[in-house]
Amino acid sequence: MDRRGFLDTLLWTSLAGAALSALAPLPWYLVPPKGVMRGRRVRLGKASALADGGAFKGHTGVKPVIVVRDGLLRAFDATCTHAGCTVDWDAAARIFTCHCHGAQFDREGKPTKGPAKEPLARVDFLEEGGEIVVP
Ligand code: FES
């Protein structure tokens, strides 16, 4: 192969590699993995299946979410604001607890026991056809 042929091959190989790299995420965009956002909305579960005092966890594909029915339906980012563990709902005490370092949050997500100092983030949701949907 002469010098010009080598450079042509190198150029076309580089362009083909760049084009393949740019198109590689396309299948995941067109067909998202199961349980991850379809379109822009994530269905977390049935609101009617949640008894008063109950909770369930879901995932938006970006963050864990905990949905609680405590009179009202509320949804929070289940990521503890101390160091990122996932919080649980204590139905008997009606508080969120983090088992990593013992933080507790009230039903509004406000910290009541350290080491966490910031509240749990609220997650906006809709009820559609009896399901809880994160837009
Ligand atoms: S990560 Fe939750 S208390 Fe530390």
Side-chain angles (χ1 to χ4, degrees):
M1 179 184 294
D2 65 355
R3 183 171 173 225
R4 183 173 189 94
F6 172 75
L7 291 174
D8 281 348
T9 302
L10 184 63
L11 173 69
W12 287 110
T13 303
S14 299
L15 289 174
L20 285 174
S21 296
L23 295 175
L26 189 61
W28 285 274
Y29 175 76
L30 295 174
V31 185
K34 212 171 188 175
V36 177
M37 287 188 268
R38 296 212 175 267
R40 297 182 56 191
R41 307 161 76 85
V42 178
R43 298 186 181 282
L44 293 177
K46 293 220 176 272
S48 59
L50 197 53
D52 192 48
F56 66 80
K57 290 181 186 173
H59 206 282
T60 65
V62 176
K63 60 189 169 195
V65 176
I66 188 163
V67 180
V68 174
R69 183 186 296 277
D70 183 39
L72 300 170
L73 269 175
R74 296 181 178 96
F76 296 90
D77 183 336
T79 307
C80 179
T81 57
H82 174 236
C85 291
T86 303
V87 299
D88 292 311
W89 172 247
D90 181 335
R94 303 232 172 177
I95 58 172
F96 297 96
T97 59
C98 180
H99 297 290
C100 286
H101 310 105
Q104 294 180 349
F105 304 85
D106 69 11
R107 62 186 67 183
E108 300 290 334
K110 294 178 192 149
T112 56
K113 182 180 170 207
K117 292 184 169 69
E118 298 297 319
L120 298 175
R122 288 277 193 144
V123 173
D124 293 331
F125 65 92
L126 309 165
E127 279 189 71
E128 276 184 2
E131 286 197 278
I132 296 170
V133 178
V134 176

